[in-house]
Amino acid sequence: MSDVIKINGFTNETLDWKAWLDVVNVETATPEQIRILEASHPQAKTSDYYLLLVHEPEILDHRSETYNAIMYAPGGVHRADRELAALTVSRINGCVYCASVHAQRFEQLAKRNQIVADVFTDPATAGDNERDKAIIKLATALSESPGDFDASYVQALKDLGMNEKEILDIIHAASIFGWANRLMLNLGEPVFP
């Protein structure tokens, strides 16, 4: 990881997350729950988040399949761009845990960290270049006022050379974090090192 960033209560440090409700005990989990956990994420069997969600294994299975398809699918827009959208939405929604995860992923993929500090400071002024700024603006619009979202945000990315499938990847990444942040914020809290 690059230098530790701490701004406005957000950080690029590795955080833990603690559920406020009882989580499934891996020792007594059903075979279906174990299968879903193993398919969801490499650390799912030790994560309160996954161990809470696996109370409803079918729903977690659908969530994980959708999330993995949006964030890790080959082709389409570069993964760093997806991470920048996720970081922006998480910052706007106040999800410190998700923001830390996606700040780290963005830094790993893009090899840049000043933009992370800038997003933590103020997404409205963040962005090292026009492409970053357009991604941040699109993610911001979907987070703050989805009813006002219009073709101008799509056109801004088209004008910068993105095709419609790449733009759809950005929209999907921003949208799933509108949902994921609310789960994290309503079911537990981040734990700082």
Side-chain angles (χ1 to χ4, degrees):
M1 180 174 71
S2 63
D3 295 335
V4 172
I5 300 170
K6 293 182 180 184
I7 300 172
N8 291 327
F10 293 90
T11 184
N12 63 343
E13 291 179 288
T14 299
L15 303 179
D16 201 358
W17 185 84
K18 180 73 180 146
W20 292 328
L21 303 169
D22 291 335
V23 298
V24 169
N25 182 336
V26 176
E27 305 286 322
T28 58
T30 68
E32 177 71 357
Q33 288 172 319
I34 295 294
R35 183 186 72 73
I36 300 300
L37 288 168
E38 289 175 348
S40 294
H41 190 274
Q43 285 86 41
K45 290 196 278 187
T46 60
S47 163
D48 263 19
Y49 179 67
Y50 289 97
L51 292 171
L52 176 63
L53 296 182
V54 81
H55 279 293
E56 296 291 338
E58 185 177 344
I59 293 171
L60 176 56
D61 191 31
H62 291 302
R63 173 256 172 237
S64 295
E65 185 177 330
T66 302
Y67 177 87
N68 291 339
I70 290 170
M71 296 305 289
Y72 305 124
V77 77
H78 190 276
R79 191 165 149 224
D81 293 333
R82 299 174 209 205
E83 297 293 347
L84 180 57
L87 167 62
T88 301
V89 172
S90 298
R91 164 56 175 93
I92 290 167
N93 289 334
C95 189
V96 172
Y97 180 84
C98 291
S100 74
V101 169
H102 297 288
Q104 291 172 43
R105 298 301 168 267
F106 177 80
E107 289 177 3
Q108 290 167 349
L109 295 162
K111 308 295 187 230
R112 299 184 287 145
N113 74 340
Q114 182 57 48
I115 191 170
V116 171
D118 295 343
V119 169
F120 287 169
T121 301
D122 183 5
T125 59
D128 295 338
N129 56 56
E130 292 307 310
R131 180 184 178 97
D132 292 344
K133 290 176 184 178
I135 291 168
I136 292 167
K137 284 181 183 174
L138 183 147
T140 299
L142 285 174
S143 300
E144 292 182 340
S145 54
D148 295 332
F149 185 83
D150 62 31
S152 66
Y153 298 98
V154 173
Q155 190 60 51
L157 289 171
K158 281 184 177 180
D159 292 346
L160 294 168
M162 275 195 200
N163 65 44
E164 289 182 359
K165 288 183 180 179
E166 292 170 324
I167 296 167
L168 187 58
D169 285 345
I170 299 296
I171 292 170
H172 284 158
S175 297
I176 199 165
F177 274 89
W179 172 78
N181 294 157
R182 281 155 184 82
L183 279 177
M184 300 297 286
L185 290 166
N186 290 300
L187 296 175
E189 62 190 327
V191 178
F192 288 80

